[in-house]
């Protein structure tokens, strides 16, 4: 109805005013109890030691106001209802108390918005939106009061969120302002309908049928408004809790849900398994097919995971291609079987457009309460189990164990120690001689790194992978190169013996690696022609074009390049030929098994190396028999404990004197 029907008599104005106030009091009782329930839920439902004091103070004030309103409503029902009461007193009490209510809600929201977490803020927004939406109907007997109440409940908080630095709050704030406008318009419309209905009721009893129709319109308008409130509520919940790509819970929502699951299991003596799932081969799909296809794969994976989950609160997308599922009332053996069934399902091909794509999954499991009783810790432990399993063998399940915890603590200890090892001067170099099998002279010395941490000599095979994993190898490798060149400049061998320094793949891939080598040679005055750089066969598993370019540049400086641990990894004849290195070092495992077939491999390597122009060094020579056989085969150089142990440079001179006099480490 676009025009308000205007009363014509003063008496009619008084009756209309009285009916309007009656409408306010008639509708208020239920709303008061809902409001009290919402206030109590917010004050006590989100305990926070820093905020409990202000919340409780606010709650006391609020409950006092609600008590006043309840008593006022009861007084009206018992003493004024169905009487020709004076309107000024009841109207003033009702309007003022409602306005104070909205101001208290507004104060609660504005004071706490910067202090509460996203879940409590979202709950607060939902409560205020619901109360404001209900107010449009309950307060429709007074247009000014209805509009003011709705706007005070929503608009100030929305403005604060729009001005916030948090993007999620910005979005919620814009939605809130839009909702406030919708509520204000709806309140005006509802108030107009109510006022017209009251006037029609008092103007003519024959218009009752027409008034019922208008009431129907009001009801429909209110239903539409409630529907909009519900839609906005769902949007707010989705923005805060749902991963938009898969429709699963996001980290925030799942962390809250996991806390509830854990508390419930603790109260009832239950247990659960937390499965941390990481997809195998997903990065390749993203790189080759594009992120659009990758997103579709993630959605398909999520749909399969849903079939295995108990409900939406037991599963989430943790991030990237990682997911988590919680399975209650299951032991570790059951969790392994469950995980393998899950891997089998996830590994089935996925039809995307015209392509059939396949990914696998590796799963780590943490058990509650066996492994921990904190949600963050359980997730971390399951992640650790997944990582260890992935390192050993992909597409399988591993349950966290005490040994993993020890390994985790050991890795953390070494990681923290490595970060300070150079600063604390804990590294030193040792040198192991490589002997020319024809002249029995020292051909070159391999430089080896040693680390002493709190009196413990940590093996290189233990700390080097950690240094590579956490990016510490670059600084350490630079120190090794600089120190080796400086120490070897004026050592006991003069300028007749070369040094060989090991270089890791991450070092070689760095753009500034050649510059670091140049600086080490320049600052020490060590000639490039006496420097060997050793790389392992794993270099062939990486970007070979970049690797070959680096090796070519190193050789152009006069530096020799050795391929270490040959025969155990990734190399092929074509790669060796293309790389054009100088030396091949046969892995010690073949030397140790010379009598069980290793000799044939050594002879083949010797022949191949000779054809490609490589020198050959046999590693791990420990007996005179091995040394003699290798010399007979034609192997150029030998290295091992039979000739010398790795030793510091100050002991190298004495060893050399003893060696020239025929003394050696004969382990036969």
């Amino acid at each position: 109805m676009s025009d308000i029907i205007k009363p014509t008599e003063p008496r009619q104005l008084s009756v209309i005013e009285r009916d309007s106030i009656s409408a306010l009091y008639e509708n208020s009782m239920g709303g008061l109890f809902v409001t009290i329930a919402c206030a109590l839920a917010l004050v006590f439902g989100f305990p926070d030691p820093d905020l409990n004091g202000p919340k409780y103070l606010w709650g006391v004030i609020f409950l006092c106001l609600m008590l006043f309103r309840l008593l006022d409503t009861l007084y009206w029902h018992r003493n004024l209802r169905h009487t020709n009461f004076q309107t000024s007193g009841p109207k003033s009490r009702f309007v003022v108390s409602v306005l104070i209510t909205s101001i208290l809600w507004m104060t609660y929201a504005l004071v706490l918005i910067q202090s509460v977490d996203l879940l409590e803020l979202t709950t607060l927004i939902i409560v205020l939106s619901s109360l404001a939406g209900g107010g449009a109907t309950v307060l429709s007997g007074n247009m000014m009061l209805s509009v003011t109440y709705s706007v005070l409940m929503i608009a100030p908080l929305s403005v604060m969120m729009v001005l916030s630095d948090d993007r999620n709050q910005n979005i919620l704030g814009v939605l809130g302002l839009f909702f406030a406008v919708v509520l204000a318009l709806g309140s005006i419309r509802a108030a107009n309908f109510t006022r017209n209905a009251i006037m029609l009721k008092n103007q003519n009893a024959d218009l009752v049928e027409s008034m019922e129709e208008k009431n129907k319109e009001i009801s429909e308008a209110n239903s539409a408004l409630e529907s909009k409130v519900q839609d906005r509520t769902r949007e707010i919940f989705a923005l805060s809790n749902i991963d938009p790509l898969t429709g699963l819970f996001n980290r925030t929502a799942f962390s809250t849900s996991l806390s509830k699951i854990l508390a419930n299991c603790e109260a009832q003596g239950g247990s659960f398994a937390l499965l941390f799932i990481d997809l195998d081969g997903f990065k390749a799909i993203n790189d080759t097919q594009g992120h659009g296809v990758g997103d579709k794969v993630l959605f398909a994976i999520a749909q399969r995971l849903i079939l295995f989950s108990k409900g939406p609160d037991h599963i989430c997308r943790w991030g990237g291609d990682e997911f988590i599922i919680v399975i209650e009332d299951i032991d570790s053996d059951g969790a392994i079987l469950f995980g393998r069934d899950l891997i089998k399902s996830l590994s089935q091909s996925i039809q995307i457009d015209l392509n059939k794509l396949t990914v696998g999954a590796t799963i780590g499991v943490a058990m509650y309460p066996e492994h921990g009783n904190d949600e963050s810790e359980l997730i971390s432990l399951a992640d650790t189990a997944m990582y260890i399993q992935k390192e050993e063998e992909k597409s399988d399940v591993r349950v966290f164990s005490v040994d993993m915890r020890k390994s985790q603590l050991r890795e953390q200890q070494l990681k923290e120690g490595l970060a300070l090892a150079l600063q604390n001067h804990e590294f030193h170099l040792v040198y192991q001689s490589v002997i020319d099998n024809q002249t029995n002279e020292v051909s070159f010395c391999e430089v080896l790194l040693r680390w002493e941490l709190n009196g413990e000599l940590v093996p290189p095979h233990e700390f080097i992978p950690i240094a590579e994993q956490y990016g510490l190898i670059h600084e350490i490798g630079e120190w090794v190169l600089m120190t080796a060149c400086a120490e070897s400049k004026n050592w006991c061998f003069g300028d007749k013996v070369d040094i060989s320094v090991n270089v890791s793949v991450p070092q070689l891939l760095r753009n500034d690696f050649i510059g670091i080598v140049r600086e080490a040679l320049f600052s020490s005055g060590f000639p490039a022609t006496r420097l060997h750089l050793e790389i392992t066969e794993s270099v062939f598993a990486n970007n070979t074009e970049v690797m070959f370019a680096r090796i070519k540049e190193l050789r152009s400086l006069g530096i020799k390049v050795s391929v270490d641990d040959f025969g155990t990894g990734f190399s092929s004849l074509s790669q060796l030929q293309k790389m054009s290195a100088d030396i091949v070092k046969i892995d010690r495992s073949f030397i140790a098994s010379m009598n069980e077939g290793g000799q044939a491999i050594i002879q083949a390597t010797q022949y191949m190396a000779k054809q490609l122009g490589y020198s050959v060094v046999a590693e791990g020579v420990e007996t005179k028999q091995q040394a003699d056989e290798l010399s007979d085969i034609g192997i150029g150089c030998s290295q091992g404990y039979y000739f010398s142990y790795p030793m510091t440079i100050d002991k190298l001179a004495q060893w050399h004197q003893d060696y020239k006099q025929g003394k050696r480490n004969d382990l036969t």
Side-chain angles (χ1 to χ4, degrees):
M1 181 178 294
S2 59
D3 297 321
I4 298 176
I5 299 175
K6 298 181 179 180
T8 58
E9 298 179 5
R11 185 194 64 79
Q12 192 175 5
L13 287 172
S14 177
V15 172
I16 291 171
E17 184 75 354
R18 191 178 295 114
D19 285 348
S20 297
I21 295 171
S22 296
L24 293 174
Y25 276 103
E26 290 284 359
N27 295 331
S28 64
M29 185 65 75
L32 286 173
F33 287 109
V34 171
T35 302
I36 292 171
C38 290
L40 292 175
L42 287 174
V43 170
F44 296 101
F46 299 90
D48 186 333
D50 297 329
L51 299 177
N52 283 342
K55 284 184 176 182
Y56 294 157
L57 176 61
W58 180 90
V60 170
I61 296 172
F62 193 84
L63 288 176
C64 289
L65 177 62
M66 292 298 103
L67 178 60
F68 169 80
R69 290 185 61 187
L70 280 171
L71 293 175
D72 181 50
T73 302
L74 290 173
Y75 173 80
W76 181 87
H77 274 277
R78 291 185 178 182
N79 300 297
L80 303 180
R81 189 182 186 191
H82 304 312
T83 67
N84 294 327
F85 59 87
Q86 292 296 320
T87 60
S88 57
K91 179 179 179 181
S92 298
R93 291 196 302 273
F94 192 91
V95 170
V96 171
S97 60
V98 169
L99 289 177
I100 294 175
T101 301
S102 64
I103 291 171
L104 282 176
W105 276 121
M106 177 185 71
T107 303
Y108 184 94
L110 294 181
V111 169
L112 296 183
I113 184 174
Q114 300 299 333
S115 303
V116 300
D117 60 25
L118 185 58
L119 176 60
E120 186 173 351
L121 178 59
T122 302
T123 304
L124 176 59
I125 293 171
I126 293 172
V127 168
L128 293 182
S129 300
S130 300
L131 292 176
T137 302
V138 173
L139 304 177
S140 61
N142 187 306
M143 180 186 298
M144 180 278 294
L145 182 61
S146 177
V147 173
T148 304
Y149 178 85
S150 299
V151 171
L152 284 177
M153 294 286 280
I154 300 297
L157 176 60
S158 298
V159 170
M160 286 289 290
M161 289 192 292
V162 168
L163 297 177
S164 170
D165 294 331
D166 188 318
R167 177 171 175 79
N168 286 330
Q169 288 196 20
N170 295 156
I171 295 172
L172 294 174
V174 172
L175 290 173
L177 288 175
F178 175 77
F179 183 50
V181 173
V182 172
L183 274 180
L185 295 175
S187 297
I188 292 171
R189 186 177 183 188
N192 285 337
F193 275 119
T194 300
R195 186 167 178 81
N196 284 332
I198 292 171
M199 287 188 292
L200 286 170
K201 171 180 172 291
N202 289 280
Q203 284 178 345
N204 196 330
D206 293 336
L207 296 178
V208 172
E209 185 177 350
S210 175
M211 188 177 67
E212 290 177 352
E213 183 64 28
K214 298 306 177 183
N215 286 336
K216 182 180 178 181
E217 292 180 17
I218 294 174
S219 178
E220 291 174 352
N222 289 336
S223 297
L225 186 60
E226 291 175 2
S227 177
K228 289 181 180 179
V229 171
Q230 292 174 356
D231 290 342
R232 295 296 180 269
T233 301
R234 283 192 290 268
E235 288 181 26
I236 291 170
F237 181 84
L239 284 171
S240 305
N241 296 278
I242 303 301
D243 171 53
L245 178 60
T246 61
L248 302 178
F249 270 8
N250 58 21
R251 280 195 183 197
T252 302
F254 181 75
S255 296
T256 302
S257 176
L258 182 58
S259 298
K260 294 178 180 177
I261 294 172
L262 195 149
N264 184 58
C265 286
E266 184 177 6
Q268 300 183 9
S271 63
F272 65 80
L274 186 144
L275 281 66
F276 194 100
I277 305 158
D278 185 80
L279 300 184
D280 302 327
F282 177 74
K283 184 178 183 299
I285 291 176
N286 253 352
D287 293 342
T288 58
Q289 303 291 327
H291 289 276
V293 173
D295 289 347
K296 292 179 181 179
V297 170
L298 288 177
F299 179 79
I301 291 295
Q303 297 307 301
R304 293 181 183 180
L305 290 172
I306 289 172
L307 298 177
F308 281 80
S309 68
K310 180 179 178 181
D313 57 341
H314 283 59
I315 181 174
C316 85
R317 181 190 179 197
W318 190 246
D321 60 348
E322 297 173 338
F323 300 84
I324 294 177
I325 285 184
V326 170
I327 307 299
E328 296 186 51
D329 301 321
I330 193 172
D331 59 15
S332 57
D333 291 337
I336 291 174
L337 294 175
F338 179 90
R340 285 174 177 165
D341 287 341
L342 185 56
I343 290 172
K344 192 178 300 182
S345 173
L346 298 181
S347 300
Q348 294 177 6
S349 62
I350 301 169
Q351 185 75 41
I352 305 294
D353 300 328
L354 299 178
N355 299 319
K356 280 190 175 182
L357 304 174
T358 303
V359 295
T362 303
I363 298 177
V365 180
M367 304 296 299
Y368 169 84
E370 178 182 345
H371 297 141
N373 56 5
D374 176 79
E375 54 268 20
S376 298
E377 181 186 15
L378 289 169
I379 292 172
S380 175
L381 298 182
D383 185 20
T384 298
M386 181 278 298
Y387 177 80
I388 293 175
Q389 179 60 45
K390 200 155 192 169
E391 286 288 302
E392 293 188 7
E393 182 182 7
K394 294 180 179 180
S395 296
D396 205 351
V397 184
R398 175 164 296 198
V399 177
F400 186 81
S401 66
V402 175
D403 289 340
M404 289 184 203
R405 192 187 297 273
K406 291 179 181 177
S407 175
Q408 192 179 39
L409 293 174
R410 174 67 170 176
E411 181 177 326
Q412 183 65 25
Q413 177 195 19
L414 296 184
K415 174 191 171 185
E416 293 173 355
L418 282 172
L420 300 172
L422 284 174
Q423 177 182 328
N424 295 336
H425 307 291
E426 295 171 351
F427 288 125
H428 68 274
L429 300 181
V430 293
Y431 299 79
Q432 186 175 32
S433 300
V434 178
I435 307 301
D436 187 311
N437 288 333
Q438 303 304 314
T439 65
N440 286 325
E441 296 293 334
V442 178
S443 176
F444 63 91
C445 290
E446 181 177 357
V447 182
L448 301 168
L449 178 63
R450 295 293 183 262
W451 178 31
E452 187 172 345
L453 175 64
N454 300 326
E456 175 194 3
L457 194 61
V458 184
H461 71 265
E462 188 175 5
F463 72 80
I464 291 297
I466 295 175
E468 292 179 344
Q469 179 182 350
Y470 293 103
L472 302 171
I473 194 64
H474 305 293
E475 187 178 3
I476 295 172
E478 183 176 351
W479 179 87
V480 170
L481 189 60
M482 295 283 186
T483 305
C485 290
E487 287 186 348
S488 307
K489 179 66 170 63
N490 299 303
W491 64 352
C492 62
F493 297 113
D495 59 358
K496 297 179 181 179
V497 176
D498 300 347
I499 62 170
S500 180
V501 179
N502 291 278
V503 176
S504 70
V505 172
Q507 286 178 269
L508 199 59
L509 283 172
R510 288 231 343 188
N511 292 329
D512 61 350
F513 177 70
I514 300 298
I516 291 172
V517 174
R518 290 178 183 272
E519 175 60 25
L521 295 172
F522 176 78
S523 61
S524 64
F526 193 83
T529 54
R530 287 179 51 207
L531 176 62
H532 301 194
L533 293 180
E534 287 192 25
I535 58 177
T536 64
E537 271 195 294
S538 62
V539 72
F540 296 112
N542 292 272
N543 191 330
T544 55
E545 294 301 321
V546 173
M547 294 295 182
F548 292 160
R550 293 274 194 280
I551 292 169
K552 183 177 181 181
E553 192 169 357
L554 289 170
R555 296 189 74 226
S556 70
L557 298 175
I559 297 170
K560 297 180 179 66
V561 176
S562 303
V563 180
D564 197 13
D565 301 331
F566 181 79
T568 62
F570 303 90
S571 59
S572 67
L573 289 176
S574 62
Q575 288 172 322
L576 282 174
Q577 186 176 20
K578 186 177 181 181
M579 185 172 70
S580 299
D582 300 281
I583 300 169
V584 170
K585 300 185 77 173
I586 301 174
D587 185 71
R588 65 182 63 249
S589 62
F590 298 114
I591 309 304
S593 62
M594 287 180 65
N595 296 328
E596 291 84 33
Q599 185 170 354
I601 296 175
I602 295 170
Q603 289 175 323
T605 303
Q606 164 70 8
Y607 176 79
M608 176 190 68
K610 183 177 181 181
Q611 298 303 312
L612 294 175
Y614 285 60
S615 300
V616 178
V617 175
E619 295 182 297
V621 179
E622 298 186 351
T623 66
K624 183 177 186 304
Q625 180 182 353
Q626 290 174 342
D628 292 342
E629 289 182 13
L630 291 167
S631 180
D632 293 341
I633 292 172
I635 300 299
C637 294
S638 295
Q639 175 184 1
Y641 292 163
Y642 173 67
F643 300 103
S644 75
Y645 289 94
M647 62 191 71
T648 56
I649 200 165
D650 57 333
K651 295 181 180 179
L652 204 56
Q654 183 59 50
W655 170 85
H656 192 220
Q657 289 297 325
D658 293 343
Y659 177 77
K660 287 191 295 185
Q661 295 172 13
K663 301 176 182 179
R664 67 177 70 227
N665 297 316
D666 193 343
L667 303 182
T668 56

